[in-house]
């Protein structure tokens, strides 16, 4: 029994068959109440295996495009209607299906975003994990550029240890070079000024900065240098905990993050979402707003880590539309 594998489709069919049978004290079509309860008990005992197994088979590469309007009162008119794509947490060291990964990139490119943001964790541990996927992600292009940032996994801490070493420094340099080769503009405590029709906005990127046990490499004030005159600032920062810790005290309009994965398990519907991630992160998936119109968006990730699948919290490609003005649905 220990070596048997779980067939999710067979188990689900068995569950449906059992649930469709009448509950009766006397035998009906060969089943009694006690038989029903026995089978139901077996079903309940096996039930955790069904979604977890199905999450590996179906959820790991079931990419979903999520659309989000971002209302910005100070947005320069030239950027009204601009489309930004976001992916995060690729974790290439976990992939095992090149065709599926390539299909996710197709979904992103089919949206024809004007710019694309990648918000950290390209690998699990070492830069070489991108060897088999660099050509796929090199396809990620946009007219106004692809901008990226580093996540906690990109520094090699989980492979080389937290102490500095020559091998660890080389690994980080190799990862930085990978961004460059793919044509991604990696923002390590830097900013870029986008210009459209003589109007401008700032894209800012910091190295990983997280609360608790996560590394604090990022220097937000350094990254903001030279953006003082910009009316809109968009920040790439991997860990959403950075938002409340530092970002809300600045004039940054929107922060784009990842990191949580939504713990790869939960429920995410139009008006309801739940995951164990909510007990760890105050902001863990989707759009968050403070009363002064500061906004944070947390993307639940393109890849996966640890458990090789997803249940309910599916891999995400986010498409934003920038809107000049106030959100009519926002609370005053």
């Amino acid at each position: 029994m220990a070596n048997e594998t779980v067939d999710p489709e067979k188990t689900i069919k068995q569950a449906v068959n059992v649930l469709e049978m009448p509950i009766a004290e006397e035998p009906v079509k060969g089943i009694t109440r006690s038989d029903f309860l026995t089978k139901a008990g077996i079903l309940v005992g096996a039930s955790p295996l069904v979604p977890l197994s199905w999450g590996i088979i179906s959820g790991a590469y079931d990419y979903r495009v999520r659309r989000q309007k971002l209302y910005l009162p100070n947005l320069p008119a030239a950027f009204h209607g601009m489309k930004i794509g976001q992916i995060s947490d690729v974790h290439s060291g976990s992939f095992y299906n090149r065709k599926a990964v390539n299909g996710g990139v197709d979904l992103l490119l089919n949206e024809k975003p004007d710019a694309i943001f990648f918000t950290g964790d390209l690998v699990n541990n070492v830069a070489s994990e991108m060897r088999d996927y660099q050509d796929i992600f090199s396809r990620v292009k946009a007219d106004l550029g692809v901008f990226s940032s580093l996540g906690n996994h990109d520094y090699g801490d989980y492979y080389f240890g937290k102490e500095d070493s020559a091998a660890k420094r080389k690994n980080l340099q190799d990862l930085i070079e990978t961004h460059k080769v793919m044509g991604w503009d990696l923002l390590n405590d830097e900013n870029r000024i986008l210009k459209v029709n003589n109007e401008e906005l700032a894209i800012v990127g910091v190295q990983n900065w997280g609360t608790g046990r996560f590394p604090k490499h990022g220097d937000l004030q350094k990254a903001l240098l030279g953006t003082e005159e910009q009316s809109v600032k968009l920040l790439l920062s991997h860990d959403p905990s950075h938002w409340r810790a530092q970002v809300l005290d600045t004039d940054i309009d929107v922060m784009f993050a990842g990191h949580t994965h939504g713990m790869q398990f939960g429920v995410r519907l139009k008006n309801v979402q739940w995951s164990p991630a909510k007990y760890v992160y105050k902001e863990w998936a989707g759009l968050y707003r403070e009363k002064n119109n500061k906004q944070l968006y947390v993307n639940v990730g393109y890849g996966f880590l640890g458990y090789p699948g997803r249940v309910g919290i599916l891999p995400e490609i986010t498409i934003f539309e920038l809107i000049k003005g106030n959100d009519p649905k926002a609370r005053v």
Side-chain angles (χ1 to χ4, degrees):
M1 292 294 291
N3 294 324
E4 290 184 4
T5 58
V6 176
D7 184 336
E9 292 187 7
K10 182 178 179 182
T11 306
I12 291 169
K13 289 178 181 178
Q14 289 173 341
V16 171
N17 290 337
V18 170
L19 292 173
E20 287 179 346
M21 293 176 180
I23 302 177
E25 294 296 341
E26 298 300 324
V28 178
K29 296 183 181 180
I31 187 169
T32 66
R33 177 182 173 82
S34 61
D35 288 337
F36 175 86
L37 294 175
T38 298
K39 290 182 178 181
I42 294 171
L43 174 63
V44 170
S47 61
L49 297 176
V50 176
L52 291 176
S53 299
W54 189 247
I56 296 172
I57 295 170
S58 177
Y61 300 103
D62 191 5
Y63 301 107
R64 298 299 174 92
V65 175
R66 299 185 73 90
R67 304 179 193 283
Q68 180 66 59
K69 292 183 178 181
L70 293 177
Y71 291 86
L72 299 163
N74 297 326
L75 184 71
F79 293 94
H80 177 76
M82 176 181 175
K83 288 174 67 176
I84 298 175
Q86 183 195 6
I87 58 174
S88 191
D89 298 84
V90 162
H91 287 287
S92 58
S94 297
F95 287 148
Y96 53 87
N97 188 331
R98 274 180 53 88
K99 183 178 180 180
V101 174
N102 199 53
V105 170
D106 284 339
L107 280 178
L108 170 63
L109 296 178
N110 287 343
E111 294 293 326
K112 295 180 170 56
D114 299 299
I116 296 173
F117 294 168
F118 172 71
T119 45
D121 279 1
L122 190 61
V123 298
N124 294 348
N125 295 304
V126 293
S128 59
E129 292 168 3
M130 273 297 290
R131 184 178 294 118
D132 293 334
Y133 295 93
Q134 182 173 305
D135 61 327
I136 293 176
F137 288 98
S138 292
R139 297 175 53 223
V140 175
K141 306 290 185 186
D143 288 344
L144 295 179
V146 179
F147 304 92
S148 58
S149 61
L150 297 176
N152 55 297
H153 278 266
D154 294 324
Y155 294 90
D157 291 355
Y158 307 110
Y159 184 82
F160 298 97
K162 292 187 177 182
E163 297 300 318
D164 183 38
S165 69
K168 186 177 177 181
R169 289 194 300 272
K170 182 181 185 304
N171 178 71
L172 179 57
Q173 190 56 48
D174 288 345
L175 188 73
I176 291 171
E177 186 65 22
T178 298
H179 283 252
K180 182 177 179 180
V181 168
M182 293 192 301
W184 296 8
D185 190 355
L186 179 61
L187 303 179
N188 280 337
D189 305 331
E190 303 169 79
N191 64 75
R192 302 288 184 264
I193 307 302
L194 285 191
K195 295 184 179 182
V196 175
N197 296 336
N198 295 319
E199 294 188 296
E200 300 177 345
L201 64 73
I203 297 177
V204 183
V206 294
Q207 297 188 68
N208 190 80
W209 197 103
T211 58
R213 62 188 177 87
F214 294 105
K216 296 176 174 59
H217 294 291
D219 186 334
L220 184 56
Q221 294 307 313
K222 177 182 177 183
L224 287 168
L225 289 175
T227 67
E228 294 80 7
E229 302 302 319
Q230 298 301 317
S231 59
V232 168
K233 301 178 180 66
L234 308 179
L235 172 68
L236 283 65
S237 181
H238 177 69
D239 191 319
S241 66
H242 192 201
W243 192 54
R244 291 195 177 274
Q246 289 190 334
V247 177
L248 283 177
D249 293 329
T250 71
D251 60 351
I252 289 167
D253 298 276
V254 188
M255 172 176 151
F256 300 82
H259 184 61
T260 73
H261 298 206
M263 287 196 175
Q264 298 169 211
F265 179 85
V267 176
R268 200 174 185 199
L269 305 176
K270 184 176 180 179
N271 297 314
V272 177
Q273 63 180 25
W274 178 90
S275 164
K278 68 174 291 185
Y279 304 113
V280 182
Y281 296 95
K282 186 175 178 63
E283 294 84 21
W284 60 274
L287 184 67
Y288 300 87
R289 182 188 287 108
E290 289 291 302
K291 289 183 179 180
N292 57 0
N293 206 40
K294 303 291 186 183
Q295 299 177 76
L296 164 70
Y297 191 90
V298 184
N299 177 297
V300 297
Y302 189 92
F304 47 88
L305 181 69
Y307 166 59
R310 287 173 175 265
V311 178
I313 306 294
L314 298 175
E316 176 177 356
I317 296 163
T318 320
I319 302 297
F320 301 94
E321 181 183 2
L322 302 190
I323 304 293
K324 182 176 177 60
N326 293 300
D327 187 348
K329 298 180 180 178
R331 294 179 181 178
V332 179

mmCIF file of all heavy atoms in Angstrom, residues 289-325:
data_model
loop_
_atom_site.group_PDB
_atom_site.id
_atom_site.type_symbol
_atom_site.label_atom_id
_atom_site.label_comp_id
_atom_site.label_asym_id
_atom_site.label_seq_id
_atom_site.Cartn_x
_atom_site.Cartn_y
_atom_site.Cartn_z
ATOM 1 N N ARG A 289 -4.580 49.369 -0.640
ATOM 2 C CA ARG A 289 -4.534 50.824 -0.763
ATOM 3 C C ARG A 289 -4.656 51.465 0.609
ATOM 4 O O ARG A 289 -5.455 51.034 1.450
ATOM 5 C CB ARG A 289 -5.687 51.307 -1.652
ATOM 6 C CG ARG A 289 -5.715 52.807 -1.886
ATOM 7 C CD ARG A 289 -6.978 53.254 -2.605
ATOM 8 N NE ARG A 289 -6.984 52.876 -4.015
ATOM 9 C CZ ARG A 289 -7.763 51.912 -4.524
ATOM 10 N NH1 ARG A 289 -8.583 51.247 -3.736
ATOM 11 N NH2 ARG A 289 -7.716 51.631 -5.809
ATOM 12 N N GLU A 290 -3.868 52.502 0.831
ATOM 13 C CA GLU A 290 -4.014 53.325 2.014
ATOM 14 C C GLU A 290 -4.832 54.569 1.648
ATOM 15 O O GLU A 290 -4.990 54.899 0.475
ATOM 16 C CB GLU A 290 -2.643 53.742 2.542
ATOM 17 C CG GLU A 290 -1.870 52.602 3.178
ATOM 18 C CD GLU A 290 -2.478 52.119 4.485
ATOM 19 O OE1 GLU A 290 -2.615 52.929 5.420
ATOM 20 O OE2 GLU A 290 -2.818 50.916 4.564
ATOM 21 N N LYS A 291 -5.335 55.282 2.659
ATOM 22 C CA LYS A 291 -6.240 56.401 2.421
ATOM 23 C C LYS A 291 -5.606 57.533 1.618
ATOM 24 O O LYS A 291 -6.296 58.274 0.918
ATOM 25 C CB LYS A 291 -6.759 56.939 3.753
ATOM 26 C CG LYS A 291 -7.738 55.996 4.440
ATOM 27 C CD LYS A 291 -8.281 56.603 5.715
ATOM 28 C CE LYS A 291 -9.275 55.660 6.373
ATOM 29 N NZ LYS A 291 -9.820 56.243 7.628
ATOM 30 N N ASN A 292 -4.296 57.676 1.694
ATOM 31 C CA ASN A 292 -3.627 58.728 0.923
ATOM 32 C C ASN A 292 -3.296 58.269 -0.499
ATOM 33 O O ASN A 292 -2.446 58.843 -1.173
ATOM 34 C CB ASN A 292 -2.363 59.204 1.640
ATOM 35 C CG ASN A 292 -1.392 58.051 1.906
ATOM 36 O OD1 ASN A 292 -1.650 56.901 1.555
ATOM 37 N ND2 ASN A 292 -0.268 58.367 2.533
ATOM 38 N N ASN A 293 -3.983 57.213 -0.932
ATOM 39 C CA ASN A 293 -3.867 56.664 -2.285
ATOM 40 C C ASN A 293 -2.518 56.007 -2.565
ATOM 41 O O ASN A 293 -2.117 55.859 -3.720
ATOM 42 C CB ASN A 293 -4.159 57.718 -3.360
ATOM 43 C CG ASN A 293 -4.658 57.083 -4.667
ATOM 44 O OD1 ASN A 293 -5.436 56.130 -4.636
ATOM 45 N ND2 ASN A 293 -4.200 57.593 -5.795
ATOM 46 N N LYS A 294 -1.809 55.613 -1.508
ATOM 47 C CA LYS A 294 -0.625 54.779 -1.699
ATOM 48 C C LYS A 294 -1.114 53.360 -1.994
ATOM 49 O O LYS A 294 -2.005 52.847 -1.314
ATOM 50 C CB LYS A 294 0.237 54.761 -0.443
ATOM 51 C CG LYS A 294 0.685 56.127 0.035
ATOM 52 C CD LYS A 294 1.677 56.768 -0.893
ATOM 53 C CE LYS A 294 2.213 58.064 -0.291
ATOM 54 N NZ LYS A 294 3.140 58.751 -1.198
ATOM 55 N N GLN A 295 -0.513 52.720 -2.997
ATOM 56 C CA GLN A 295 -1.003 51.414 -3.421
ATOM 57 C C GLN A 295 0.119 50.375 -3.447
ATOM 58 O O GLN A 295 1.277 50.697 -3.716
ATOM 59 C CB GLN A 295 -1.646 51.519 -4.805
ATOM 60 C CG GLN A 295 -2.848 52.460 -4.843
ATOM 61 C CD GLN A 295 -3.432 52.613 -6.229
ATOM 62 O OE1 GLN A 295 -4.131 51.735 -6.725
ATOM 63 N NE2 GLN A 295 -3.141 53.739 -6.869
ATOM 64 N N LEU A 296 -0.275 49.129 -3.199
ATOM 65 C CA LEU A 296 0.632 47.976 -3.259
ATOM 66 C C LEU A 296 -0.078 46.870 -4.006
ATOM 67 O O LEU A 296 -1.244 46.578 -3.734
ATOM 68 C CB LEU A 296 0.987 47.497 -1.853
ATOM 69 C CG LEU A 296 1.604 46.092 -1.737
ATOM 70 C CD1 LEU A 296 3.018 46.062 -2.313
ATOM 71 C CD2 LEU A 296 1.619 45.621 -0.282
ATOM 72 N N TYR A 297 0.627 46.242 -4.939
ATOM 73 C CA TYR A 297 0.091 45.041 -5.584
ATOM 74 C C TYR A 297 1.044 43.881 -5.337
ATOM 75 O O TYR A 297 2.245 43.984 -5.604
ATOM 76 C CB TYR A 297 -0.116 45.221 -7.088
ATOM 77 C CG TYR A 297 -0.914 44.059 -7.649
ATOM 78 C CD1 TYR A 297 -2.302 44.111 -7.691
ATOM 79 C CD2 TYR A 297 -0.295 42.888 -8.061
ATOM 80 C CE1 TYR A 297 -3.054 43.036 -8.139
ATOM 81 C CE2 TYR A 297 -1.032 41.800 -8.511
ATOM 82 C CZ TYR A 297 -2.419 41.882 -8.545
ATOM 83 O OH TYR A 297 -3.161 40.799 -8.985
ATOM 84 N N VAL A 298 0.491 42.763 -4.832
ATOM 85 C CA VAL A 298 1.279 41.558 -4.564
ATOM 86 C C VAL A 298 0.889 40.482 -5.566
ATOM 87 O O VAL A 298 -0.252 39.992 -5.562
ATOM 88 C CB VAL A 298 1.066 41.052 -3.125
ATOM 89 C CG1 VAL A 298 1.983 39.846 -2.864
ATOM 90 C CG2 VAL A 298 1.332 42.160 -2.114
ATOM 91 N N ASN A 299 1.819 40.140 -6.430
ATOM 92 C CA ASN A 299 1.645 39.066 -7.402
ATOM 93 C C ASN A 299 2.011 37.743 -6.722
ATOM 94 O O ASN A 299 3.044 37.647 -6.061
ATOM 95 C CB ASN A 299 2.562 39.356 -8.599
ATOM 96 C CG ASN A 299 2.544 38.298 -9.670
ATOM 97 O OD1 ASN A 299 2.909 37.155 -9.454
ATOM 98 N ND2 ASN A 299 2.147 38.697 -10.874
ATOM 99 N N VAL A 300 1.169 36.703 -6.885
ATOM 100 C CA VAL A 300 1.405 35.449 -6.162
ATOM 101 C C VAL A 300 2.386 34.519 -6.872
ATOM 102 O O VAL A 300 2.619 33.395 -6.415
ATOM 103 C CB VAL A 300 0.089 34.690 -5.880
ATOM 104 C CG1 VAL A 300 -0.818 35.512 -4.987
ATOM 105 C CG2 VAL A 300 -0.627 34.292 -7.170
ATOM 106 N N GLY A 301 2.994 34.988 -7.968
ATOM 107 C CA GLY A 301 4.120 34.253 -8.519
ATOM 108 C C GLY A 301 3.832 33.456 -9.778
ATOM 109 O O GLY A 301 2.724 32.984 -10.020
ATOM 110 N N TYR A 302 4.887 33.315 -10.552
ATOM 111 C CA TYR A 302 4.846 32.572 -11.822
ATOM 112 C C TYR A 302 5.236 31.112 -11.613
ATOM 113 O O TYR A 302 4.732 30.222 -12.291
ATOM 114 C CB TYR A 302 5.811 33.236 -12.802
ATOM 115 C CG TYR A 302 5.749 32.743 -14.225
ATOM 116 C CD1 TYR A 302 4.924 33.371 -15.153
ATOM 117 C CD2 TYR A 302 6.532 31.672 -14.654
ATOM 118 C CE1 TYR A 302 4.869 32.933 -16.476
ATOM 119 C CE2 TYR A 302 6.489 31.222 -15.964
ATOM 120 C CZ TYR A 302 5.646 31.858 -16.873
ATOM 121 O OH TYR A 302 5.600 31.412 -18.174
ATOM 122 N N GLY A 303 6.159 30.862 -10.695
ATOM 123 C CA GLY A 303 6.656 29.516 -10.459
ATOM 124 C C GLY A 303 6.193 28.953 -9.133
ATOM 125 O O GLY A 303 5.152 29.351 -8.591
ATOM 126 N N PHE A 304 6.964 28.045 -8.592
ATOM 127 C CA PHE A 304 6.606 27.408 -7.327
ATOM 128 C C PHE A 304 7.877 26.970 -6.628
ATOM 129 O O PHE A 304 8.941 26.835 -7.240
ATOM 130 C CB PHE A 304 5.677 26.207 -7.562
ATOM 131 C CG PHE A 304 6.133 25.279 -8.660
ATOM 132 C CD1 PHE A 304 6.999 24.234 -8.406
ATOM 133 C CD2 PHE A 304 5.702 25.474 -9.974
ATOM 134 C CE1 PHE A 304 7.429 23.388 -9.412
ATOM 135 C CE2 PHE A 304 6.127 24.636 -11.007
ATOM 136 C CZ PHE A 304 6.988 23.585 -10.715
ATOM 137 N N LEU A 305 7.757 26.726 -5.324
ATOM 138 C CA LEU A 305 8.924 26.376 -4.513
ATOM 139 C C LEU A 305 8.490 25.384 -3.444
ATOM 140 O O LEU A 305 7.432 25.543 -2.832
ATOM 141 C CB LEU A 305 9.505 27.625 -3.854
ATOM 142 C CG LEU A 305 10.747 27.441 -2.988
ATOM 143 C CD1 LEU A 305 11.944 27.071 -3.866
ATOM 144 C CD2 LEU A 305 11.050 28.713 -2.203
ATOM 145 N N GLY A 306 9.303 24.369 -3.197
ATOM 146 C CA GLY A 306 8.931 23.368 -2.207
ATOM 147 C C GLY A 306 7.918 22.405 -2.797
ATOM 148 O O GLY A 306 8.261 21.530 -3.595
ATOM 149 N N TYR A 307 6.658 22.557 -2.420
ATOM 150 C CA TYR A 307 5.579 21.759 -2.998
ATOM 151 C C TYR A 307 5.496 22.052 -4.495
ATOM 152 O O TYR A 307 5.320 23.209 -4.890
ATOM 153 C CB TYR A 307 4.255 22.101 -2.296
ATOM 154 C CG TYR A 307 3.024 21.604 -2.999
ATOM 155 C CD1 TYR A 307 2.835 20.249 -3.253
ATOM 156 C CD2 TYR A 307 2.047 22.488 -3.421
ATOM 157 C CE1 TYR A 307 1.706 19.792 -3.915
ATOM 158 C CE2 TYR A 307 0.905 22.050 -4.074
ATOM 159 C CZ TYR A 307 0.742 20.701 -4.320
ATOM 160 O OH TYR A 307 -0.387 20.265 -4.969
ATOM 161 N N PRO A 308 5.621 21.021 -5.353
ATOM 162 C CA PRO A 308 5.717 21.254 -6.800
ATOM 163 C C PRO A 308 4.365 21.444 -7.482
ATOM 164 O O PRO A 308 4.060 20.807 -8.491
ATOM 165 C CB PRO A 308 6.415 19.984 -7.298
ATOM 166 C CG PRO A 308 5.908 18.921 -6.360
ATOM 167 C CD PRO A 308 5.803 19.604 -5.004
ATOM 168 N N GLY A 309 3.554 22.313 -6.935
ATOM 169 C CA GLY A 309 2.249 22.561 -7.520
ATOM 170 C C GLY A 309 1.553 23.708 -6.822
ATOM 171 O O GLY A 309 2.127 24.396 -5.972
ATOM 172 N N ARG A 310 0.279 23.904 -7.179
ATOM 173 C CA ARG A 310 -0.534 24.959 -6.572
ATOM 174 C C ARG A 310 -1.966 24.461 -6.459
ATOM 175 O O ARG A 310 -2.476 23.814 -7.383
ATOM 176 C CB ARG A 310 -0.495 26.237 -7.418
ATOM 177 C CG ARG A 310 0.827 27.006 -7.338
ATOM 178 C CD ARG A 310 0.839 28.160 -8.320
ATOM 179 N NE ARG A 310 2.046 28.983 -8.174
ATOM 180 C CZ ARG A 310 2.121 30.091 -7.448
ATOM 181 N NH1 ARG A 310 1.047 30.509 -6.788
ATOM 182 N NH2 ARG A 310 3.234 30.773 -7.378
ATOM 183 N N VAL A 311 -2.605 24.815 -5.354
ATOM 184 C CA VAL A 311 -4.006 24.464 -5.136
ATOM 185 C C VAL A 311 -4.769 25.753 -4.836
ATOM 186 O O VAL A 311 -4.576 26.370 -3.791
ATOM 187 C CB VAL A 311 -4.172 23.474 -3.969
ATOM 188 C CG1 VAL A 311 -5.659 23.175 -3.742
ATOM 189 C CG2 VAL A 311 -3.417 22.185 -4.246
ATOM 190 N N GLY A 312 -5.605 26.180 -5.763
ATOM 191 C CA GLY A 312 -6.436 27.358 -5.535
ATOM 192 C C GLY A 312 -5.749 28.676 -5.821
ATOM 193 O O GLY A 312 -6.356 29.608 -6.346
ATOM 194 N N ILE A 313 -4.480 28.784 -5.462
ATOM 195 C CA ILE A 313 -3.700 30.007 -5.723
ATOM 196 C C ILE A 313 -2.826 29.724 -6.943
ATOM 197 O O ILE A 313 -1.719 29.198 -6.829
ATOM 198 C CB ILE A 313 -2.834 30.391 -4.502
ATOM 199 C CG1 ILE A 313 -3.687 30.492 -3.237
ATOM 200 C CG2 ILE A 313 -2.090 31.698 -4.775
ATOM 201 C CD1 ILE A 313 -4.707 31.601 -3.243
ATOM 202 N N LEU A 314 -3.331 30.054 -8.109
ATOM 203 C CA LEU A 314 -2.699 29.639 -9.360
ATOM 204 C C LEU A 314 -1.628 30.637 -9.805
ATOM 205 O O LEU A 314 -1.645 31.804 -9.409
ATOM 206 C CB LEU A 314 -3.770 29.497 -10.440
ATOM 207 C CG LEU A 314 -4.826 28.427 -10.123
ATOM 208 C CD1 LEU A 314 -5.923 28.427 -11.179
ATOM 209 C CD2 LEU A 314 -4.192 27.040 -10.007
ATOM 210 N N PRO A 315 -0.677 30.190 -10.633
ATOM 211 C CA PRO A 315 0.398 31.084 -11.091
ATOM 212 C C PRO A 315 -0.171 32.268 -11.856
ATOM 213 O O PRO A 315 -1.110 32.124 -12.644
ATOM 214 C CB PRO A 315 1.267 30.189 -11.982
ATOM 215 C CG PRO A 315 0.403 29.023 -12.335
ATOM 216 C CD PRO A 315 -0.534 28.833 -11.202
ATOM 217 N N GLU A 316 0.414 33.439 -11.620
ATOM 218 C CA GLU A 316 -0.209 34.691 -12.036
ATOM 219 C C GLU A 316 0.633 35.504 -13.006
ATOM 220 O O GLU A 316 1.839 35.658 -12.837
ATOM 221 C CB GLU A 316 -0.496 35.539 -10.796
ATOM 222 C CG GLU A 316 -1.065 36.910 -11.081
ATOM 223 C CD GLU A 316 -1.392 37.691 -9.827
ATOM 224 O OE1 GLU A 316 -1.253 37.137 -8.709
ATOM 225 O OE2 GLU A 316 -1.777 38.861 -9.962
ATOM 226 N N ILE A 317 -0.051 36.030 -14.004
ATOM 227 C CA ILE A 317 0.472 37.067 -14.891
ATOM 228 C C ILE A 317 -0.464 38.260 -14.718
ATOM 229 O O ILE A 317 -1.666 38.147 -14.971
ATOM 230 C CB ILE A 317 0.471 36.605 -16.360
ATOM 231 C CG1 ILE A 317 1.414 35.407 -16.546
ATOM 232 C CG2 ILE A 317 0.856 37.753 -17.297
ATOM 233 C CD1 ILE A 317 1.183 34.639 -17.826
ATOM 234 N N THR A 318 0.051 39.378 -14.241
ATOM 235 C CA THR A 318 -0.802 40.537 -13.980
ATOM 236 C C THR A 318 -0.645 41.566 -15.086
ATOM 237 O O THR A 318 0.469 41.873 -15.506
ATOM 238 C CB THR A 318 -0.442 41.189 -12.634
ATOM 239 O OG1 THR A 318 -0.156 40.186 -11.668
ATOM 240 C CG2 THR A 318 -1.613 42.026 -12.130
ATOM 241 N N ILE A 319 -1.769 42.092 -15.532
ATOM 242 C CA ILE A 319 -1.776 43.161 -16.531
ATOM 243 C C ILE A 319 -2.456 44.376 -15.909
ATOM 244 O O ILE A 319 -3.643 44.335 -15.558
ATOM 245 C CB ILE A 319 -2.515 42.743 -17.817
ATOM 246 C CG1 ILE A 319 -1.865 41.499 -18.428
ATOM 247 C CG2 ILE A 319 -2.540 43.896 -18.813
ATOM 248 C CD1 ILE A 319 -0.428 41.691 -18.889
ATOM 249 N N PHE A 320 -1.689 45.451 -15.775
ATOM 250 C CA PHE A 320 -2.193 46.693 -15.197
ATOM 251 C C PHE A 320 -2.512 47.693 -16.305
ATOM 252 O O PHE A 320 -1.812 47.754 -17.314
ATOM 253 C CB PHE A 320 -1.152 47.317 -14.264
ATOM 254 C CG PHE A 320 -0.734 46.436 -13.128
ATOM 255 C CD1 PHE A 320 0.393 45.629 -13.228
ATOM 256 C CD2 PHE A 320 -1.463 46.396 -11.948
ATOM 257 C CE1 PHE A 320 0.785 44.812 -12.187
ATOM 258 C CE2 PHE A 320 -1.079 45.586 -10.901
ATOM 259 C CZ PHE A 320 0.047 44.786 -11.010
ATOM 260 N N GLU A 321 -3.537 48.481 -16.068
ATOM 261 C CA GLU A 321 -3.834 49.624 -16.925
ATOM 262 C C GLU A 321 -3.756 50.876 -16.067
ATOM 263 O O GLU A 321 -4.461 50.985 -15.051
ATOM 264 C CB GLU A 321 -5.221 49.508 -17.546
ATOM 265 C CG GLU A 321 -5.552 50.667 -18.477
ATOM 266 C CD GLU A 321 -6.952 50.598 -19.048
ATOM 267 O OE1 GLU A 321 -7.700 49.666 -18.698
ATOM 268 O OE2 GLU A 321 -7.303 51.495 -19.843
ATOM 269 N N LEU A 322 -2.896 51.805 -16.452
ATOM 270 C CA LEU A 322 -2.763 53.047 -15.705
ATOM 271 C C LEU A 322 -3.864 54.020 -16.127
ATOM 272 O O LEU A 322 -4.068 54.263 -17.319
ATOM 273 C CB LEU A 322 -1.393 53.677 -15.947
ATOM 274 C CG LEU A 322 -0.162 52.833 -15.595
ATOM 275 C CD1 LEU A 322 1.103 53.686 -15.668
ATOM 276 C CD2 LEU A 322 -0.286 52.173 -14.231
ATOM 277 N N ILE A 323 -4.565 54.560 -15.139
ATOM 278 C CA ILE A 323 -5.682 55.469 -15.389
ATOM 279 C C ILE A 323 -5.415 56.790 -14.668
ATOM 280 O O ILE A 323 -5.143 56.804 -13.457
ATOM 281 C CB ILE A 323 -7.010 54.876 -14.878
ATOM 282 C CG1 ILE A 323 -7.260 53.496 -15.503
ATOM 283 C CG2 ILE A 323 -8.168 55.837 -15.166
ATOM 284 C CD1 ILE A 323 -7.510 53.508 -16.973
ATOM 285 N N LYS A 324 -5.514 57.881 -15.408
ATOM 286 C CA LYS A 324 -5.363 59.200 -14.790
ATOM 287 C C LYS A 324 -6.678 59.565 -14.094
ATOM 288 O O LYS A 324 -7.731 59.649 -14.725
ATOM 289 C CB LYS A 324 -5.016 60.263 -15.829
ATOM 290 C CG LYS A 324 -4.801 61.653 -15.248
ATOM 291 C CD LYS A 324 -4.376 62.632 -16.327
ATOM 292 C CE LYS A 324 -4.219 64.031 -15.771
ATOM 293 N NZ LYS A 324 -3.186 64.107 -14.697
ATOM 294 N N GLY A 325 -6.616 59.739 -12.773
ATOM 295 C CA GLY A 325 -7.815 60.092 -12.034
ATOM 296 C C GLY A 325 -7.942 59.288 -10.760
ATOM 297 O O GLY A 325 -7.027 58.520 -10.383
#
